[in-house]
Amino acid sequence: MLGPPGAGKGTQARKLCTYYNYARISTGDMLRESVRKKTALGRKAKGYIETGALVPDRLVDAIVKARLARKDCENGFVLDGYPRTIPQAEFLDAVLTSASKIIAVVVRVRNEVLLERLAGRWTCPDCGKIFNSESRPSLEGDRCDECNTALVHRKDDAAKVVEERIQVYHQSTEPLVHYYRGRGCYYDVDGEQPVEDIFETLRAIVEEQKEDRTVRVF
Ligand code: AMP
């Protein structure tokens, strides 16, 4: 799943994974966990994440490759926030077998809507569930209504950092549209529709592609 920060990739990835029993692979969540645990990767990634820059490809590629080797990916998986650069997409192509089916979905949302959404976004640092103080508050107030962990407002959701992340998206990640378009596996989705409508669109896409072979959704 491709799209700028705040487009709703995480929310839709979670819904798809629950519905289809796919593995959810969020490089952002994995990197943030490494930062929290102060692992070697986390120490290297911290500065990039906090300033809204991309973590170097070789670090992200390595965690994705290791994650894809786990058994729960056999039934299919959703990549949320990966690939984000052309070299990452090439790496992914090299890692996947030729029998794998890739679906690339770009979730589009206007910049001004992204800024508004991210200002009110609260995230569960444990299970990754995403809330919005205005449009999607947690049923448990300031705690996650799924795992009861205290919600956080991500440091990189601060207005200044968000602007940088949106710019990085347009510069480094948007070129992936051309990378996937023309392969017959590319879809553009309007991310400003209600959450359930977007999910229905994504479900229809997966069903269409599923008629063929094993589905792998980005
Ligand atoms: P996200 O949670 O997907 O918005 O990611 C948060 C931050 O983690 C990004 O702003 C990057 O600093 C880093 N990150 C996540 N995924 C990637 C990726 N595929 N390539 C490089 N950096 C990434």
Side-chain angles (χ1 to χ4, degrees), residues 162-218:
V162 165
E163 279 171 28
E164 173 66 17
R165 289 165 63 204
I166 292 175
Q167 201 179 326
V168 165
Y169 172 77
H170 290 305
Q171 229 165 48
S172 305
T173 309
E174 229 166 23
L176 289 176
V177 167
H178 303 283
Y179 187 88
Y180 290 113
R181 194 177 264 159
R183 287 191 182 188
C185 65
Y186 170 83
Y187 295 86
D188 229 295
V189 172
D190 174 5
E192 294 188 28
Q193 303 169 86
V195 170
E196 288 309 323
D197 293 0
I198 300 171
F199 179 62
E200 278 315 304
T201 305
L202 293 176
R203 219 168 56 84
I205 291 170
V206 174
E207 290 304 321
E208 181 181 299
Q209 294 279 333
K210 244 172 110 129
E211 311 227 312
D212 241 8
R213 282 177 290 155
T214 317
V215 176
R216 310 254 155 132
V217 184
F218 286 68

Side-chain angles (χ1 to χ4, degrees), residues 101-148:
K101 168 163 265 181
I102 289 171
I103 307 174
V105 176
V106 176
V107 187
R108 299 216 184 252
V109 173
R110 285 167 299 159
N111 285 0
E112 59 267 35
V113 178
L114 297 173
L115 291 169
E116 207 178 283
R117 281 189 188 174
L118 291 173
R121 176 158 88 170
W122 289 82
T123 312
C124 175
D126 195 35
C127 75
K129 189 164 178 184
I130 299 153
F131 301 90
N132 189 286
S133 49
E134 298 299 315
S135 55
R136 261 184 124 212
S138 166
L139 301 173
E140 297 297 329
D142 58 2
R143 305 192 81 82
C144 177
D145 56 22
E146 221 149 271
C147 68
N148 204 37

Side-chain angles (χ1 to χ4, degrees), residues 27-28 31-32 49 53-55 60 81-82 84 88 154 165:
T27 43
L31 289 167
R32 276 185 294 279
I49 297 174
L54 291 182
V55 173
V60 186
Y82 182 94
R84 262 174 152 103
Q88 288 180 15
R154 277 167 48 179
R165 289 165 63 204

Side-chain angles (χ1 to χ4, degrees), residues 38-134:
K38 298 193 167 73
T39 65
L41 169 68
R43 282 196 294 273
K44 286 182 199 144
K46 190 170 190 275
Y48 297 102
I49 297 174
E50 285 179 354
T51 55
L54 291 182
V55 173
D57 290 336
R58 67 186 165 78
L59 298 178
V60 186
D61 289 343
I63 55 172
V64 169
K65 186 175 179 186
R67 181 67 186 83
L68 287 174
R70 280 173 41 191
K71 199 153 177 56
D72 64 342
C73 291
E74 280 175 7
N75 184 45
F77 49 87
V78 179
L79 284 165
D80 166 11
Y82 182 94
R84 262 174 152 103
T85 64
I86 299 273
Q88 288 180 15
E90 289 169 346
F91 180 85
L92 183 69
D93 278 339
V95 168
L96 296 179
T97 65
S98 57
S100 305
K101 168 163 265 181
I102 289 171
I103 307 174
V105 176
V106 176
V107 187
R108 299 216 184 252
V109 173
R110 285 167 299 159
N111 285 0
E112 59 267 35
V113 178
L114 297 173
L115 291 169
E116 207 178 283
R117 281 189 188 174
L118 291 173
R121 176 158 88 170
W122 289 82
T123 312
C124 175
D126 195 35
C127 75
K129 189 164 178 184
I130 299 153
F131 301 90
N132 189 286
S133 49
E134 298 299 315

